[in-house]
Amino acid sequence: MSVTVTTLSKMKQEGNKITWLTAYDYSFAAVLDTAGIDAILVGDSLGMVMQGHDTPVPVTIEHSCYHTQCVARGVKNSMIVGDMPFGSYQVSKEQAYRNAVKLMRAGAHVIKLEGGELQVETIRFLTERGIAVCAHIGLTPQSVHQLGGFKVQGRGEAADKLVEDALRVQQAGASAVVLEAVPRALAKRITGEIAIPTIGIGAGKHCDGQVLVLQDMIGIYPKKSPKFCKNFMQGTDSIAAAVSNYIDEVKTGQFPADQHSFD
Ligand code: KIV
């Protein structure tokens, strides 16, 4: 591993955009790593793009560990972020610690979990024990049934709550925060107010970095992809070229354009 949470923090300070993509297996991980992606997220989106479910809810810690192991074998330089699946950290901070350790033993350098203020105690417990944590706020897909669907979050009065969530996870020791499906003006405000990097997905161009689900980025997901996705295979003849184009467009601020974000 050569990219670390310190690298990401420095990139934010220097205004260099951070690039993440998801991957779930050895071969794609090797393509992404060779292309120079900063971080590979072994997301619980694997429930949808690998397993064919409609939500990430069925994913277990065993699934996440298996895919993290596969990815780890393909990676030399990128940082690996392992996603804590639904039910693997909500019961207690001790449960979260035990499952975070499993993901790290599988090869994750950082673990990601969904939630802001409600996860503060867990984030503090993990970070005080040497685990690097990325929080995930805004649209949190593990709560899709409670949210009533995959909907934009943080509009109107909910905006201040999301800013508070971002500040609270930072105070608890999180090293980064994913902002999913939030208006771009709010993502800009959060990015300006916190010192840790924001990684956006459907959160506009002002985030410190971007992440997309690989299958959306190469246009092979058979179901409907969200409006914030772009098919980078268009105009290219290889997956490696599509990944390089994604990296270039994020680094130069061409992606995401306003059409890939929300007002
Ligand atoms: O599981 C995942 O792929 C994610 C991204 C959508 C950020 O959490």
Side-chain angles (χ1 to χ4, degrees):
M1 171 190 56
S2 62
V3 179
T4 68
V5 290
T6 312
T7 317
L8 301 193
S9 166
K10 195 157 170 271
M11 288 175 79
K12 172 166 180 139
Q13 283 162 26
E14 293 173 353
N16 293 325
K17 294 284 186 187
I18 300 163
T19 57
W20 289 24
L21 279 172
T22 69
Y24 318 91
D25 72 344
Y26 166 78
S27 301
F28 275 117
V31 170
L32 268 47
D33 183 75
T34 304
I37 202 84
D38 295 312
I40 297 178
L41 169 64
V42 190
D44 62 359
S45 48
L46 75 87
M48 293 142 98
V49 299
M50 300 296 290
Q51 299 175 334
H53 297 295
D54 289 333
T55 77
V57 170
V59 176
T60 65
I61 189 68
E62 287 76 24
H63 297 150
S64 288
C65 286
Y66 170 74
H67 287 282
T68 301
Q69 284 168 351
C70 298
V71 164
R73 291 185 201 110
V75 168
K76 291 195 179 80
N77 296 308
S78 306
M79 192 176 87
I80 301 174
V81 184
D83 219 354
M84 300 280 282
F86 179 64
S88 71
Y89 58 95
Q90 290 91 343
V91 174
S92 67
K93 51 193 193 309
E94 289 82 7
Q95 180 211 26
Y97 180 78
R98 277 193 294 274
N99 285 320
V101 168
K102 287 184 191 167
L103 269 186
M104 291 179 72
R105 289 196 175 132
H109 306 123
V110 176
I111 64 94
K112 176 169 86 59
L113 50 78
E114 294 186 1
E117 194 178 357
L118 283 177
Q119 293 303 332
V120 157
E121 214 188 313
T122 297
I123 295 171
R124 185 167 295 115
F125 189 81
L126 297 179
T127 55
E128 281 174 349
R129 284 157 183 79
I131 296 177
V133 176
C134 174
H136 180 158
I137 62 174
L139 171 57
T140 46
Q142 292 172 13
S143 309
V144 61
H145 298 303
Q146 190 183 44
L147 296 173
F150 294 96
K151 294 178 180 167
V152 178
Q153 304 295 308
R155 283 192 167 132
E157 287 176 5
D160 287 344
K161 172 74 179 77
L162 271 190
V163 176
E164 184 61 22
D165 278 339
L167 288 166
R168 295 290 305 276
V169 298
Q170 168 175 262
Q171 277 162 11
S175 297
V177 57
V178 167
L179 304 179
E180 178 164 357
V182 301
R184 63 180 168 275
L186 175 58
K188 182 179 183 188
R189 183 176 155 204
I190 293 173
T191 301
E193 288 200 22
I194 62 176
I196 58 175
T198 57
I199 308 297
I201 174 162
K205 61 186 172 198
H206 302 292
C207 295
D208 299 305
Q210 299 293 328
V211 58
L212 279 181
V213 169
L214 177 68
Q215 281 76 355
D216 290 330
M217 198 278 297
I218 58 174
I220 62 163
Y221 185 54
K223 295 180 186 165
K224 193 170 177 287
S225 291
K227 97 164 202 167
F228 52 74
C229 300
K230 176 173 172 180
N231 179 358
F232 283 84
M233 280 303 285
Q234 278 170 0
T236 62
D237 56 7
S238 79
I239 290 169
V243 173
S244 289
N245 289 346
Y246 166 77
I247 293 174
D248 281 354
E249 289 201 17
V250 171
K251 297 267 182 213
T252 56
Q254 293 171 73
F255 179 81
D258 285 351
Q259 76 201 66
H260 307 116
S261 54
F262 302 100
D263 294 319

